[in-house]
Amino acid sequence: MTDDTPDRCCAASRSDGASGRSQAAGRSRSGVERNEAEPSSRMVEVPAGEFRMGTDSDVGFPADGEGPTRDVYLDAFHIDRHAVTNAEFLQFVRDTGYTTETEEFGWAFVFEDFVAPADEEHVMQSVDAAPWWVAIEGANWLRPDGPASSITDRLKHPVTQVSWADAQAYAEWAGKRLPTEAEWEKAARGGLVGKRYPWGDELTPDGEHRCNIWQGEFPEHNTGADGYRGTAPVDAFAQNEYDLHSVSGNVWEWCADWFSPDHHVDGPRENPTGPENGDARVMRGGSYLCHRSWCNRYRVAARSKNTPDSATGNIGFRLAMDA
């Protein structure tokens, strides 16, 4: 494992893909009408207090800013038990008529193994640094693997192919917000201190798969030993001690913060919100494409980033609220 392992194995960036976007893309994505009936029963409260954030371990990627470990205080907050599902995002679109950035661009990144023969004519290009990512014309949240695909049989799976701005728009409609990176990590740790995963230090205790990640040789062969090769239902794996599902693996989750590898070193230790600006937003949690040989970022201290307009088949989100 080296610090220069490409982020592109995590999730491709919009800047890696084909040029061109619709004139509508890039417009303000706020202003959707709030859904007052959106239930909060799917959320849990994380108590106020300090937690130990980050890691000093050499297992991961120090250049990502995983360390140093530090004590961070957070006020109490609520966070979703699981990522926003396709069914929930579908209701949002039906209620608001919202159009995602991916739909306006007209294309999105899909993992090469998921491209159906009928969609091969829609392949625009691949990513040089990570050729398993291909830009597919017509791929979007409703057809996450290309025009021939559908979310019909994935309604309980996390919504994907959504940009940071799309997640923000959904949050506004739901009367919630994206979690800060610190909130996300505290919730993911579930009260455990210094552990590698949400359940402890062993990836598969007693041979049990606790998350949806890649098994086998990446990117040539995924055995699917955990039961899934793509996304899994949001509640497919057991919760952590705070009752959160899949904070390791399944899909990357957008956070509110701009990404910086070093802002936190001398930054605030009370309710931190990240730097004031940047070029990329923080993503947390890893995805079904993560493997220890490439993207060992399904650990709770691991971090990644992407440009806010990027969308791939392995990026989703969950939401938070002030308590």
Side-chain angles (χ1 to χ4, degrees):
M1 188 78 60
T2 62
D3 289 348
D4 60 355
T5 300
D7 284 340
R8 298 300 179 265
C9 63
C10 297
S13 170
R14 182 69 68 180
S15 59
D16 295 321
S19 61
R21 63 188 299 185
S22 75
Q23 293 181 352
R27 70 188 181 201
S28 172
R29 314 196 70 77
S30 62
V32 297
E33 184 176 351
R34 179 173 172 177
N35 174 21
E36 299 292 347
E38 208 282 344
S40 59
S41 59
R42 70 194 304 280
M43 307 189 87
V44 296
E45 182 172 345
V46 178
E50 285 191 342
F51 81 106
R52 194 72 171 162
M53 185 171 182
T55 182
D56 296 320
S57 170
D58 60 359
V59 169
F61 304 92
D64 284 352
E66 293 185 9
T69 55
R70 62 242 183 235
D71 291 324
V72 171
Y73 173 87
L74 294 178
D75 293 332
F77 62 96
H78 296 281
I79 192 166
D80 286 345
R81 299 173 190 270
H82 56 71
V84 172
T85 66
N86 282 312
E88 291 166 333
F89 200 82
L90 175 62
Q91 187 62 53
F92 160 63
V93 171
R94 284 175 171 170
D95 284 358
T96 64
Y98 183 82
T99 300
T100 62
E101 283 197 290
T102 297
E103 291 171 282
E104 293 174 342
F105 273 106
W107 63 272
F109 284 110
V110 177
F111 184 66
E112 61 179 351
D113 288 1
F114 300 155
V115 180
D119 283 336
E120 290 179 359
E121 63 180 305
H122 299 292
V123 175
M124 301 166 70
Q125 67 181 76
S126 61
V127 177
D128 290 341
W132 46 87
W133 283 117
V134 290
I136 303 294
E137 186 177 16
N140 54 54
W141 73 273
L142 194 61
R143 299 173 178 83
D145 299 330
S149 65
S150 171
I151 61 167
T152 302
D153 60 349
R154 308 183 213 178
L155 292 177
K156 288 190 67 176
H157 291 224
V159 64
T160 60
Q161 302 293 14
V162 285
S163 70
W164 187 89
D166 297 332
Q168 284 283 84
Y170 181 96
E172 183 177 336
W173 171 76
K176 303 179 184 181
R177 58 175 174 79
L178 287 171
T180 67
E181 182 177 15
E183 287 174 336
W184 192 97
E185 184 171 327
K186 181 176 183 178
R189 289 189 176 278
L192 300 183
V193 180
K195 298 301 181 182
R196 186 169 296 175
Y197 307 111
W199 53 84
D201 287 326
E202 188 177 350
L203 180 60
T204 53
D206 298 323
E208 178 188 3
H209 290 283
R210 300 284 183 93
C211 62
N212 177 19
I213 57 175
W214 188 283
Q215 289 93 40
E217 297 296 324
F218 184 85
E220 290 80 15
H221 177 60
N222 185 355
T223 67
D226 58 26
Y228 304 93
R229 290 184 172 84
T231 58
V234 293
D235 59 355
F237 294 88
Q239 310 97 307
N240 71 359
E241 292 299 318
Y242 283 164
D243 207 21
L244 272 66
H245 292 276
S246 291
V247 280
S248 280
N250 212 18
V251 293
W252 284 101
E253 298 180 6
W254 289 115
C255 290
D257 307 38
W258 288 107
F259 181 91
S260 167
D262 53 18
H263 173 81
H264 61 281
V265 175
D266 298 313
R269 295 289 188 267
E270 183 173 335
N271 296 313
T273 56
E276 293 184 2
N277 50 58
D279 299 320
R281 295 285 184 176
V282 173
M283 302 188 305
R284 284 301 204 112
S287 83
Y288 58 84
L289 293 180
C290 282
H291 187 270
R292 65 181 181 274
S293 65
W294 280 89
C295 179
N296 186 17
R297 292 184 173 94
Y298 44 88
R299 298 164 293 106
V300 286
R303 319 172 66 218
S304 193
K305 63 184 185 295
N306 214 331
T307 58
D309 61 354
S310 293
T312 68
N314 68 338
I315 302 178
F317 64 98
R318 76 179 71 208
L319 298 179
M321 291 177 65
D322 296 340

